[in-house]
Amino acid sequence: AVGLPLAQADVAILTDDGKLHQGPSTPTGELLVRGPQVFAGYVDARQTAGAFHDGWLRTGDICRIGETGQLHIAGRIKDLIIRGGHNIDPMALEDAAMAHPGVALAAAVGLPDAYAGEVPMLFVVPTAGASADLADLPAFIDARIFEAPARPRRIEQIDDMPLTPVGKIFKPRLRELAAEHAARAIIATAAPDAGATVQAVTDGTRGLHLRLDL
């Protein structure tokens, strides 16, 4: 729980079926907020349309309102991995990996996939002195993830986890690494002798895109 809403702040939960729920005791969905402190919209009307729902500001937080009116944050909508319409909470994969004594840090993102849209990919930083390959990690995680679609398709060991200035895992960089991996796999199959280098870049205009040097 992260606390009670501030004075003059109305909160509600928007579920996948398009229904609004106000506390106490709501299902889990996207947290919406409205009140005199909420801005009216963006200069670009196209951005405003996506940021609001019937006058409520969409926060992008996955949340529920508990019995006492406190807000319980479960994650961010943009962090969900959507595999063929199946919503996968990355925290379930991360918690399973972090239970392994050889894993110091873990973060899951979507790996682009031509058939399913995306599949789970897990990045892990080994603990000091851990086995270099963590060979038992896939089976260890699979035993703790009961839904087969939620099991990671690929596990990538990295030396350092990208972090924000305040110490949070910076998932946009991990999504770039996943996109680069997916692109290299396609190129290796379609043109194995192309000698291609791939770099994923994210900017405010085009979002995440790839630069290829052939």
Side-chain angles (χ1 to χ4, degrees):
V2 296
L4 295 166
L6 294 173
Q8 296 186 319
D10 294 329
V11 296
I13 302 298
L14 178 66
T15 48
D16 290 339
D17 57 8
K19 294 182 180 179
L20 281 179
H21 305 264
Q22 291 184 272
S25 299
T26 71
T28 298
E30 182 179 6
L31 176 64
L32 308 185
V33 62
R34 68 181 179 186
Q37 76 281 20
V38 176
F39 75 125
Y42 293 99
V43 173
D44 187 338
R46 293 171 296 178
Q47 292 180 297
T48 301
F52 287 85
H53 175 84
D54 290 339
W56 294 81
L57 176 67
R58 306 184 66 158
T59 68
D61 290 316
I62 303 172
C63 184
R64 66 178 176 86
I65 303 174
E67 294 179 359
T68 61
Q70 295 211 36
L71 303 179
H72 297 255
I73 303 291
R76 294 283 294 167
I77 287 178
K78 66 180 180 180
D79 289 339
L80 284 176
I81 301 166
I82 304 176
R83 179 176 184 170
H86 184 89
N87 289 351
I88 300 169
D89 182 1
M91 190 177 297
L93 283 74
E94 294 159 0
D95 288 347
M98 290 292 291
H100 192 286
V103 174
L105 281 175
V109 297
L111 172 67
D113 182 83
Y115 176 75
E118 56 184 2
V119 294
M121 180 174 183
L122 187 67
F123 291 88
V124 297
V125 176
T127 57
S131 170
D133 58 5
L134 293 176
D136 65 330
L137 184 57
F140 182 90
I141 293 173
D142 287 354
R144 288 159 174 77
I145 302 293
F146 300 109
E147 293 183 280
R151 293 170 182 162
R153 172 74 64 84
R154 180 177 177 84
I155 300 175
E156 186 86 9
Q157 290 188 48
I158 54 179
D159 295 329
D160 297 295
M161 189 70 72
L163 302 174
T164 69
V166 296
K168 291 184 177 182
I169 293 175
F170 188 57
K171 287 197 172 181
R173 177 53 187 153
L174 297 181
R175 293 188 190 98
E176 291 175 350
L177 295 176
E180 290 175 359
H181 171 78
R184 291 191 188 101
I186 292 172
I187 294 170
T189 300
D193 299 324
T197 60
V198 182
Q199 181 185 15
V201 181
T202 305
D203 62 36
T205 303
R206 290 180 290 176
L208 193 156
H209 59 282
L210 296 171
R211 293 177 179 171
L212 307 180
D213 291 324
L214 304 176

